[in-house]
């Protein structure tokens, strides 16, 4: 089975990250994820991510570093989920695809029912949180 590359954005804003619930008509209905989507043929991952965030949330983001990707096999597909740390640059959030969003702090990250591919990324994020937050504040 071909591995599908998927980008996702860990969007920091005021010390929290944006987490989105997949709607009932999406794959993995009701699961929580970082917004993003599949990389199209020969598309740059960061271009893909900016495009997906605009399509899903109607905002512009600034993209920083990538964290460790997570590979996961669901019953019908294998994905390689590539997370990028980002900040909310401009625009108002409009939920064009997701059921709802929440903003979670470091200690709240596991309050939601994550899509399975995200779990290692969320652990990694929690470990790196203290180092990431000041870096983002300096960069913005
Ligand atoms: N965007 C995103 N997808 C995730 C995450 N975790 C996870 O398992 N996935 C899965 C769900 C989907 O099976 C796949 C990405 O598909 P998608 O539906 O979000 O992407 P897309 O908008 O490009 O898809 P499509 O409707 O155009 O086919 O990866 C995550 O954190 N973010």
């Amino acid at each position: 089975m071909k591995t599908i590359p998927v980008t996702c954005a860990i969007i920091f804003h005021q010390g929290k990250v944006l987490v989105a619930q997949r709607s009932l008509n999406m794959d993995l209905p009701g699961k929580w994820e970082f917004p993003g989507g599949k990389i199209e043929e020969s598309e740059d991952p960061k271009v893909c991510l900016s495009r997906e965030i605009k399509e899903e949330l109607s905002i512009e983001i600034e993209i920083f570093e990538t964290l460790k990707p997570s590979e996961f096999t669901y019953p019908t597909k294998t994905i390689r989920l590539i997370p990028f740390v980002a900040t909310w640059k401009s625009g108002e959030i409009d939920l064009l695809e997701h059921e709802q969003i929440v903003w979670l702090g470091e200690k709240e990250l596991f309050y939601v029912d994550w899509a399975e591919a995200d779990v290692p990324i969320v652990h990694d994020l929690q470990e790196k949180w203290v180092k990431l937050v000041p870096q983002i504040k300096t960069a913005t």
Side-chain angles (χ1 to χ4, degrees):
M1 212 192 306
K2 220 178 95 196
T3 300
I4 304 166
V6 177
T7 60
C8 67
I10 302 173
I11 305 173
F12 277 88
H13 184 65
Q14 298 181 340
K16 297 198 168 193
V17 292
L18 184 151
V19 178
Q21 186 179 33
R22 295 182 68 84
S23 55
L24 300 182
N25 58 6
M26 287 167 121
D27 243 14
L28 313 177
K31 289 286 185 179
W32 290 80
E33 67 173 11
F34 296 113
K38 296 176 195 129
I39 303 179
E40 287 173 4
E41 196 66 38
S42 71
E43 188 179 33
D44 176 79
K46 288 186 178 181
V47 171
C48 162
L49 190 55
S50 298
R51 175 182 58 71
E52 290 283 355
I53 297 303
K54 184 74 189 166
E55 284 172 12
E56 294 179 357
L57 300 173
S58 182
I59 60 168
E60 286 78 38
I61 55 169
E62 182 162 2
I63 300 174
F64 299 96
E65 69 204 83
T66 172
L67 297 186
K68 196 170 179 295
S70 160
E71 229 169 81
F72 190 83
T73 302
Y74 289 107
T76 57
K77 68 180 110 174
T78 296
I79 67 160
R80 178 179 170 79
L81 187 60
I82 310 160
F84 287 89
V85 173
T87 54
W88 179 1
K89 200 166 70 179
S90 57
E92 294 296 319
I93 294 180
D94 193 0
L95 293 189
L96 302 172
E97 292 186 12
H98 290 92
E99 199 58 38
Q100 54 177 326
I101 57 160
V102 289
W103 292 92
L104 299 180
E106 179 191 359
K107 303 280 190 283
E108 302 157 347
L109 289 174
F110 285 97
Y111 285 6
V112 298
D113 180 21
W114 287 99
E116 283 168 281
D118 292 65
V119 173
I121 293 174
V122 179
H123 279 293
D124 193 29
L125 171 64
Q126 204 164 40
E127 263 172 44
K128 294 183 176 148
W129 187 280
V130 173
K131 229 169 78 189
L132 282 173
V133 170
Q135 279 173 14
I136 286 161
K137 279 199 186 129
T138 318
T140 51

